[in-house]
Amino acid sequence: MTRGYIQINTGEGKGKTTAALGTCIRTLIAGKKVFFGQFIKGQSTAELKLPEYFENFHIEQFGDGCFIFKKPSETDSKKAHYGLLRCKSALMSGEYGLVVMDEVNVAIKHGLLTSEDVLAVLNEKAEQTEVILTGRYAPKDLINAADLVTEMKKIKHYFDNGVSAREGIEY
Ligand code: ATP
Ligand code: MG
């Protein structure tokens, strides 16, 4: 069995969650199970429907809609902590080829979790399980702990010209 590494997709450009989903497809096609934990988000995303196509794809959301433009609530914080516990149990179980902690960096940035909380969970990961953390603002100590860190650099983004998220492209 090969060992699993810690990956981070961060930066201001598009593709952090999309790249993680691409790796999910590869892991599934390799016959392994995927746990996809989605922090912050509580809205309908395409990935929520992936279990209809892949029985080995398990997804849970730990957000309350999107607070991003207001102050996070007590519920946001409770959901993030519950999400961390769920990811911890998936990481420790040895059952999954890949665990994704989508937008976990954003949960840290907004003070819902600390990077120490997340590091403690990563330290308990089963040897063979790969983990991908996504979201802008990856903190330094998580970057230090990771084996592969990719920064998506924004050259242009149509969001800046008023193009909001589109079904089939962004969700
Ligand atoms: P994708 O899921 O398309 O791979 P991502 O994971 O790299 O994107 P996120 O930071 O998760 O990017 O952003 C998700 C959505 O947030 C974008 O689709 C966009 O509609 C919206 N958004 C909000 N603010 C910005 C911004 N300043 N620049 C770009 N996108 C933004
Ligand atoms: Mg994302």
Side-chain angles (χ1 to χ4, degrees), residues 7-12 16 103-109 115 133-144 146 148-151:
Q7 303 190 19
I8 298 181
N9 295 342
T10 193
E12 302 264 326
K16 300 172 289 290
E103 313 300 351
V104 72
N105 296 334
V106 181
I108 296 168
K109 174 76 177 175
S115 55
L133 315 183
T134 87
R136 354 176 134 206
Y137 326 113
K140 280 239 163 59
D141 50 353
L142 290 187
I143 288 176
N144 289 339
L148 173 64
V149 180
T150 303
E151 181 180 8

Side-chain angles (χ1 to χ4, degrees), residues 13-18 103 136 157 159-160 164-165 169-170:
K14 178 173 166 65
K16 300 172 289 290
T17 300
T18 311
E103 313 300 351
R136 354 176 134 206
H157 199 305
F159 183 85
D160 298 331
S164 54
I169 305 292
E170 274 85 29

Side-chain angles (χ1 to χ4, degrees), residues 35 83-96 121:
F35 183 93
L84 193 62
L85 277 180
R86 295 292 298 147
C87 291
K88 179 180 175 182
S89 104
L91 282 164
M92 288 177 73
S93 70
E95 208 186 317
Y96 296 95
V121 163

Side-chain angles (χ1 to χ4, degrees), residues 30-49:
K32 296 178 195 168
K33 289 174 73 172
V34 172
F35 183 93
F36 196 99
Q38 199 151 52
F39 291 83
I40 311 290
K41 291 174 185 164
Q43 62 271 60
S44 172
T45 55
E47 42 274 27
L48 279 180
K49 294 195 182 140

Side-chain angles (χ1 to χ4, degrees), residues 14-170:
K14 178 173 166 65
K16 300 172 289 290
T17 300
T18 311
L21 280 168
T23 309
C24 290
I25 303 291
R26 287 183 170 159
T27 300
L28 292 165
I29 288 170
K32 296 178 195 168
K33 289 174 73 172
V34 172
F35 183 93
F36 196 99
Q38 199 151 52
F39 291 83
I40 311 290
K41 291 174 185 164
Q43 62 271 60
S44 172
T45 55
E47 42 274 27
L48 279 180
K49 294 195 182 140
L50 264 182
E52 293 172 22
Y53 301 86
F54 294 98
E55 61 176 359
N56 284 338
F57 184 85
H58 183 84
I59 180 163
E60 293 182 22
Q61 285 188 327
F62 314 118
D64 211 12
C66 223
F67 63 80
I68 292 297
F69 300 109
K70 45 185 183 4
K71 202 172 137 28
S73 67
E74 189 63 23
T75 315
D76 290 313
S77 170
K78 283 207 174 110
K79 287 197 176 192
H81 278 93
Y82 171 72
L84 193 62
L85 277 180
R86 295 292 298 147
C87 291
K88 179 180 175 182
S89 104
L91 282 164
M92 288 177 73
S93 70
E95 208 186 317
Y96 296 95
L98 173 64
V99 172
V100 178
M101 298 170 72
D102 189 37
E103 313 300 351
V104 72
N105 296 334
V106 181
I108 296 168
K109 174 76 177 175
H110 287 274
L112 303 181
L113 300 172
T114 66
S115 55
E116 290 81 9
D117 293 334
V118 175
L119 272 175
V121 163
L122 295 179
N123 282 332
E124 304 217 43
K125 167 183 104 49
E127 177 81 13
Q128 71 273 23
T129 302
E130 188 89 5
V131 58
I132 306 179
L133 315 183
T134 87
R136 354 176 134 206
Y137 326 113
K140 280 239 163 59
D141 50 353
L142 290 187
I143 288 176
N144 289 339
D147 303 288
L148 173 64
V149 180
T150 303
E151 181 180 8
M152 273 66 180
K153 181 172 156 55
K154 180 171 84 169
I155 306 290
K156 268 187 173 183
H157 199 305
Y158 41 47
F159 183 85
D160 298 331
N161 289 324
V163 181
S164 54
R166 289 171 298 153
E167 185 178 11
I169 305 292
E170 274 85 29

